[in-house]
Amino acid sequence: MKSNDTETEQYLSTSNRISGWIVIAIGVVGLLDIVLEWRTASGIMVGSVIAILMVLAYCGLVRPSVTLSPETIVLRNHLRDRVIPWNQVSGADVADILRVHTDAGRFRAPGVQLVMRDLRKQRVGGRKLSADSSLSRADIVVGRIEAHMDQYGAVDGGAVKTNWARPELTAIAVLAVIAIVAALLR
């Protein structure tokens, strides 16, 4: 199966993203209540803590993904990204989450994960797994990675790069400082 050179493919956990956005929405409601009702240092401190929890929910549930492009595979983890050129990828498999193998090591990607319920069904041999089970989706992602390896692996793309999630880390640091200052001013 050949990919279109101009397209990228992104794989992620839909259920995690939905849960993350629900947590963030609840946090927004809490922040709105604080803004409308409390105008004290305690309110600022509580609002900062809620905002930190919202950023952590984003980092843990919404942010992780796997992006395949003709040049690289990008493993977007909770607080850092791994940009891996196809010539560096030697394989991929799924244990509990996707693992991409390179000569530099094995990189884990929580954007593609297996649901324990599907693993139990597979081991026990109970009810048949549905076509949209996490096992089927994970197998599709591994297959797409292998297809990209075959198609783009000959092109030298350089070394594996690691980028930290600077906006998220900065937001957490700034909110923590605001919470500490507000706690000291109470």
Side-chain angles (χ1 to χ4, degrees), residues 12-13 16-17 19-21 23-24 50-65 75-81 109-111 113 164-173 175:
L12 43 92
S13 174
N16 282 357
R17 285 204 168 194
S19 300
W21 286 116
V23 169
I24 290 170
I50 290 173
I52 288 172
L53 293 174
M54 290 169 55
V55 173
L56 291 175
Y58 173 79
C59 290
L61 296 170
V62 178
R63 190 176 191 282
S65 66
L75 306 178
R76 213 171 163 201
N77 292 343
H78 304 297
L79 292 176
R80 69 178 161 204
D81 301 339
Q113 37 184 281
W164 288 93
R166 286 191 184 109
E168 291 86 350
L169 291 170
T170 302
I172 291 170
L175 291 167

Side-chain angles (χ1 to χ4, degrees), residues 87-117:
N87 66 317
Q88 299 289 327
V89 178
S90 59
D93 64 0
V94 178
D96 55 338
I97 62 177
L98 178 69
R99 299 182 303 186
V100 176
H101 304 277
T102 68
D103 292 337
R106 182 176 61 199
F107 301 107
R108 297 169 55 89
V112 176
Q113 37 184 281
L114 297 179
V115 177
M116 293 308 295
R117 176 192 59 209

Side-chain angles (χ1 to χ4, degrees), residues 137-159:
R137 280 189 236 130
D139 289 338
I140 290 170
V141 174
V142 169
R144 293 301 300 143
I145 289 172
E146 290 170 350
H148 275 71
M149 284 171 40
D150 293 341
Q151 190 172 359
Y152 304 115
V155 178
D156 185 16

